[in-house]
Amino acid sequence: MSDPHFFGYGSLVNTDTHSYPHARPATLHGWRRAWVRTDLRDIVFLTGVPAPGHSIAGLIAAVPNNDWAALDLRESGYARVPATDAVTVDRAPHDIAVYAVPPEDMRSGGDHRILLSYLDVVVQGYLRVFGTQGVADFFDTTDGWSTPILNDRASPLYPRAQSLSASETALVDHHLHGLSAQVQNL
């Protein structure tokens, strides 16, 4: 029997943030991404939300020996949701899950912010796997860009922050400028 897999649509697309094997591109159908607030922390979560007629690109990777403990800990605040039937991928495994914030934990309002160091990691992953069009698609298939963004690049708050090249940083900034995103300094 093969190992189960997860579908990643945010930082898990950047394979420098994890060591799960057999990572490869996939598409999750019937979902979009959204920045959402919860009571769990002062920053927003990037989550998948059901959205019939939509799809998002990401990666699947194996969870060896069905050992979800470390990934569940990394993805605390999210629920692990079965997604096998919603994922298109070559050589599809029999068991795929996606992490999503439970709807009952989502909140409106508040002064939560997006960490730019987290967004940088996500965009770097999409650029490496899907190219510049994949980055544009990431921004287009994500809701909640009215959420303020905290510029923590100089002192990253995201624990798995990565170094970006000047061109990668410029790509993130270009898309944020195009969205008229509100970026606040730390």
Side-chain angles (χ1 to χ4, degrees):
M1 180 173 243
S2 67
D3 290 322
H5 286 62
F6 66 81
F7 177 88
Y9 53 83
S11 63
L12 289 168
V13 173
N14 190 327
T15 56
D16 286 347
T17 71
H18 65 83
S19 59
Y20 289 93
H22 312 297
R24 60 191 192 274
T27 303
L28 180 65
H29 300 279
W31 292 72
R32 285 181 62 85
R33 277 178 296 270
W35 298 104
V36 300
R37 293 167 173 83
T38 73
D39 292 333
L40 297 175
R41 57 186 184 197
D42 293 335
I43 58 170
V44 295
F45 284 77
L46 180 63
T47 191
V49 292
H54 294 271
S55 63
I56 53 177
L59 289 185
I60 65 164
V63 181
N65 302 314
N66 204 28
D67 183 8
W68 289 95
L71 193 55
D72 286 349
L73 181 62
R74 172 186 167 139
E75 300 299 311
S76 65
Y78 294 88
R80 188 170 7 116
V81 179
T84 304
D85 294 336
V87 175
T88 301
V89 63
D90 66 328
R91 304 177 324 274
H94 298 288
D95 186 12
I96 304 173
V98 63
Y99 285 91
V101 174
E104 63 270 16
D105 291 345
M106 296 179 190
R107 304 288 181 259
S108 59
D111 58 357
H112 298 62
R113 296 177 283 182
I114 298 167
L115 289 181
L116 187 54
S117 60
Y118 174 81
L119 179 59
D120 285 345
V121 165
V122 174
V123 172
Q124 184 182 58
Y126 272 88
L127 180 62
R128 289 177 178 171
V129 176
F130 300 104
T132 55
Q133 185 58 53
V135 171
D137 292 344
F138 165 80
F139 281 95
D140 288 343
T141 59
T142 303
D143 298 322
W145 291 110
S146 61
T147 305
I149 299 167
L150 179 63
N151 183 353
D152 65 330
R153 280 181 176 152
S155 297
L157 298 174
Y158 180 58
R160 287 173 287 282
Q162 302 292 308
S163 294
L164 271 67
S165 68
S167 62
E168 290 170 332
T169 300
L171 182 63
V172 174
D173 294 346
H174 166 77
H175 283 281
L176 292 177
H177 179 75
L179 293 166
S180 300
Q182 179 187 354
V183 180
Q184 304 168 342
N185 289 321
L186 184 62

